[in-house]
């Protein structure tokens, strides 16, 4: 039931911005986009979420297109510790309690 | 306290054994989840409990039996499992009926079925 598609893998140079894209072309008007990351065999870690406006927190920025069919997670200054699998998730369901993970992007930050 | 605690961290069991995985949170969350994750794959949703009632079962085989004895605890009872059930089992919680609340995950229980 995944509603998102992401590139399988990406590389990013340390200190540069990492831009991770996600397509969610079937998203409904009241469904939020969430981003999580998972560092090898640990529990997924929440990064950021948004509905239609761009969002920023201490970890990342989330840019959502005006038609809401895609979004980009931006890590402004990637470090080696940002190497992880990044998942884009659309939260669905009448009560918003269904989080279905997409296939994720494996980000490798290169020294 | 923003933690979801899962026990045990590792479990090895035979196909005829009965065991349980446990999950606990004290954030006042009223939605709790079980996910299964195979190696190099994304987490797959198994069950969702809302206000201690099972609200979603993603067609999970009956050898997996969830239980939510109270708002802080979630169990997953395991019986007659198969080797292909070996995986990382993740528990999560979130606020209920609130579209902006995120999932908080535990570190998982790694299950090996021999």
């Amino acid at each position: 039931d995944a509603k998102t598609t992401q590139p399988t893998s990406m590389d990013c140079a340390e200190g540069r911005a990492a831009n991770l894209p996600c397509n969610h072309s079937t998203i409904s008007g009241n469904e939020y986009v969430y981003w999580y990351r998972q560092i090898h065999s640990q529990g997924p870690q929440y990064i950021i979420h948004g509905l239609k406006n761009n969002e920023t927190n201490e970890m990342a920025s989330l840019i959502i297109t005006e038609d809401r069919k895609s979004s980009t997670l931006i890590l402004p200054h990637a470090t080696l510790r940002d190497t992880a699998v990044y998942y884009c998730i659309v939260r669905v369901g009448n009560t918003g309690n269904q989080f279905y993970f997409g296939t994720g992007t494996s980000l490798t930050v290169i020294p | 306290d923003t933690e979801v605690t899962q026990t045990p961290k590792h479990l090895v069991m035979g196909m005829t054994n009965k065991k349980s995985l446990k999950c606990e949170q004290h954030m006042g969350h009223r939605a709790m989840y079980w996910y299964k994750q195979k190696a190099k794959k994304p987490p797959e949703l198994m069950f969702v409990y809302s206000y201690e009632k099972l609200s979603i079962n993603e067609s999970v085989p009956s050898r997996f039996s969830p239980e939510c004895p109270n708002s802080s605890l979630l169990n997953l009872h395991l019986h007659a499992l198969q080797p292909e059930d070996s995986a990382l089992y993740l528990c999560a919680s979130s606020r209920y009926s609130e579209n902006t609340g995120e999932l908080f995950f535990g570190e998982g229980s790694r299950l090996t079925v021999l």
Side-chain angles (χ1 to χ4, degrees), chain A residues 22-104:
Chain A
C22 178
N23 287 323
H24 32 78
S25 57
T26 61
I27 194 169
S28 299
N30 63 346
E31 292 175 342
Y32 282 73
V33 177
Y34 283 73
W35 282 84
Y36 279 76
R37 72 181 182 184
Q38 188 173 27
I39 298 171
H40 183 61
S41 294
Q42 296 180 16
Q45 176 192 21
Y46 167 79
I47 302 173
I48 199 167
H49 71 277
L51 182 62
K52 57 178 116 177
N53 297 322
N54 297 338
E55 302 287 344
T56 296
N57 62 21
E58 65 277 6
M59 289 182 69
S61 295
L62 174 61
I63 309 298
I64 302 174
T65 57
E66 191 169 344
D67 63 7
R68 302 211 324 121
K69 292 183 185 300
S70 65
S71 60
T72 300
L73 178 74
I74 301 172
L75 307 178
H77 305 287
T79 70
L80 299 179
R81 286 178 292 184
D82 292 323
T83 293
V85 178
Y86 287 77
Y87 293 104
C88 171
I89 301 163
V90 171
R91 183 175 184 174
V92 304
N94 291 335
T95 55
N97 284 328
Q98 298 172 48
F99 291 78
Y100 293 103
F101 284 70
T103 52

Side-chain angles (χ1 to χ4, degrees), chain B:
Chain B
D1 184 358
T2 58
E3 283 192 351
V4 175
T5 304
Q6 291 188 242
T7 56
K9 292 191 183 335
H10 300 274
L11 177 63
V12 179
M13 61 185 291
M15 288 189 285
T16 59
N17 292 159
K18 286 185 180 181
K19 296 287 185 182
S20 296
L21 305 180
K22 298 184 185 302
C23 175
E24 188 168 5
Q25 57 87 16
H26 296 288
M27 294 178 278
H29 291 170
R30 302 309 293 272
M32 297 187 75
Y33 308 72
W34 281 115
Y35 283 84
K36 172 183 178 180
Q37 186 175 27
K38 302 281 281 183
K40 300 188 185 303
K41 297 291 187 182
E44 297 175 20
L45 183 63
M46 300 175 72
F47 302 105
V48 181
Y49 271 83
S50 305
Y51 284 90
E52 296 89 67
K53 294 190 188 304
L54 184 64
S55 59
I56 295 172
N57 176 343
E58 291 287 341
S59 302
V60 179
S62 59
R63 57 186 184 268
F64 295 91
S65 176
E67 178 196 21
C68 191
N70 60 56
S71 60
S72 299
L73 294 174
L74 184 66
N75 298 321
L76 186 62
H77 302 298
L78 314 170
H79 174 55
L81 295 192
Q82 303 297 310
E84 59 265 28
D85 296 322
S86 298
L88 181 68
Y89 288 84
L90 293 161
C91 175
S93 69
S94 72
R95 287 173 287 180
Y96 180 73
S97 294
E98 188 168 338
N99 284 326
T100 61
E102 67 265 32
L103 281 178
F104 290 79
F105 280 89
E107 291 301 309
S109 292
R110 184 162 300 282
L111 173 68
T112 302
V113 182
L114 301 176

